[in-house]
Amino acid sequence: MGPALKFRKTPKVEEVNFDPAAREEFLTGFRKRKQQRIKHAQEIAAKRAKEEKRIDRQKIREERAAEFQRAIEEHKRQLKLLKAEDTSDNDDNNSGSDEESDDEWQGFEEPPAVDYEAEYIDEDKYTTVTVEEIDSSREGLRKSILGEDSDEENKAKAEAAAKRRAEEEAEAARLLKKRKATTDKPKKKKKQFRYESKQDRKLAAAKQRLSKAKKAKARREK
C-alpha cells in the first residue's frame, strides 16, 4: 500500500466581504484599462525607436570618423609624394642651372635704324626713295596716310563746329526773345467778387417785381 497523501493546509477564511465600489470600478473600467495598455505599449515603442535612432547616429559618426581618418592619411601620402617630386625637380633645376649659367639670355637685340634715303637711276629715270619710321598706333597710321591733308581736315571740322555753335546760339536767342515777348503781355485782371448789401438786394427785388408786373399787364391787354 502506498504512502498516505499529504494535503496542504489552507488557512480558513473567517469572513468574506463584498465591495460594491470595487465591483463597479471593475465593470466600468474596461476602456480605462485598455487605454492604459495602449499608452504603455506606445511608450515602449517610443523608447525602442529612440534607442534605434541613437544606435544609427552612433554608427554614422563612427563611419564619418573613419572616412575622415582615411582622407587625412591620403592627404599626408599625397603631400609626401609632392615633396618628393619637388625635391627631385629642384635637384634637376640646380644641375641644369649650373650647366646653363654661362649662356644667360641677354634680351632682344636692338633693330637697325630704319630711316634712310636712297637714289635710284635707271637710264632716263631718276627716283629718290625715303624710308622713315612710323607710329604703329591708329593715330600714327592715320597721320601717315593723310599727311598734310589732316591739317586741312581739322581746320574744316573746326569751322563747321564754330558755324554749328553760332547757329545754336542764334536759335537759343530767338527762343528766349519769343518767350520774353509772351511773358511781357499784360495779364487780364480777374474780376473781384463782391457780396451785395441788403439795400442792393431789396432794390434788385423791387426792380424785378416791377418788371414782372409790367410784363403781366402787357399780356392782359393783348
Side-chain angles (χ1 to χ4, degrees), residues 54 72 74-75 94 142 144 169 199-200 220:
R54 187 185 66 79
I72 290 175
E74 181 67 20
H75 183 64
N94 291 331
R142 190 179 69 83
S144 64
E169 290 177 357
Q199 190 69 23
D200 293 337
R220 285 194 299 270

Side-chain angles (χ1 to χ4, degrees), residues 64-101:
R64 288 179 179 175
E67 290 178 359
F68 183 70
Q69 190 66 27
R70 287 195 297 270
I72 290 175
E73 292 176 357
E74 181 67 20
H75 183 64
K76 289 180 179 179
R77 189 177 65 81
Q78 294 292 337
L79 284 176
K80 288 181 180 179
L81 292 175
L82 290 174
K83 287 181 180 179
E85 291 178 358
D86 290 339
T87 52
S88 62
D89 292 340
N90 289 331
D91 294 338
D92 295 339
N93 291 332
N94 291 331
S95 61
S97 61
D98 293 338
E99 294 176 358
E100 297 176 359
S101 59

Side-chain angles (χ1 to χ4, degrees), residues 63-214:
E63 291 176 358
R64 288 179 179 175
E67 290 178 359
F68 183 70
Q69 190 66 27
R70 287 195 297 270
I72 290 175
E73 292 176 357
E74 181 67 20
H75 183 64
K76 289 180 179 179
R77 189 177 65 81
Q78 294 292 337
L79 284 176
K80 288 181 180 179
L81 292 175
L82 290 174
K83 287 181 180 179
E85 291 178 358
D86 290 339
T87 52
S88 62
D89 292 340
N90 289 331
D91 294 338
D92 295 339
N93 291 332
N94 291 331
S95 61
S97 61
D98 293 338
E99 294 176 358
E100 297 176 359
S101 59
D102 297 334
D103 300 333
E104 292 184 357
W105 184 63
Q106 301 296 332
F108 294 106
E109 296 180 357
E110 289 292 334
V114 180
D115 297 338
Y116 67 91
E117 185 174 345
E119 296 180 356
Y120 297 93
I121 301 173
D122 184 10
E123 295 180 356
D124 298 335
K125 297 179 181 180
Y126 175 78
T127 304
T128 301
V129 178
T130 303
V131 180
E132 296 179 354
E133 287 185 346
I134 62 172
D135 189 2
S136 60
S137 63
R138 182 180 296 178
E139 187 66 21
L141 293 174
R142 190 179 69 83
K143 288 182 179 180
S144 64
I145 293 171
L146 296 177
E148 296 178 355
D149 295 339
S150 60
D151 296 335
E152 296 178 358
E153 184 180 354
N154 293 333
K155 187 177 180 181
K157 287 182 179 179
E159 291 177 356
K163 185 177 180 181
R164 186 168 57 254
R165 193 180 301 108
E167 291 176 355
E168 291 176 356
E169 290 177 357
E171 183 67 18
R174 187 180 65 80
L175 293 175
L176 182 61
K177 186 177 180 181
K178 185 177 180 181
R179 189 180 297 111
K180 188 176 180 181
T182 54
T183 54
D184 290 343
K185 289 182 180 179
K187 294 182 179 179
K188 293 181 179 180
K189 291 185 178 181
K190 190 176 181 181
K191 189 175 181 181
Q192 188 175 4
F193 180 78
R194 185 176 63 84
Y195 287 100
E196 293 181 348
S197 63
K198 188 175 181 181
Q199 190 69 23
D200 293 337
R201 289 197 298 273
K202 285 183 179 181
L203 183 60
K207 288 181 179 180
Q208 191 174 8
R209 285 195 299 271
L210 183 61
S211 176
K212 287 182 179 180
K214 287 181 179 180

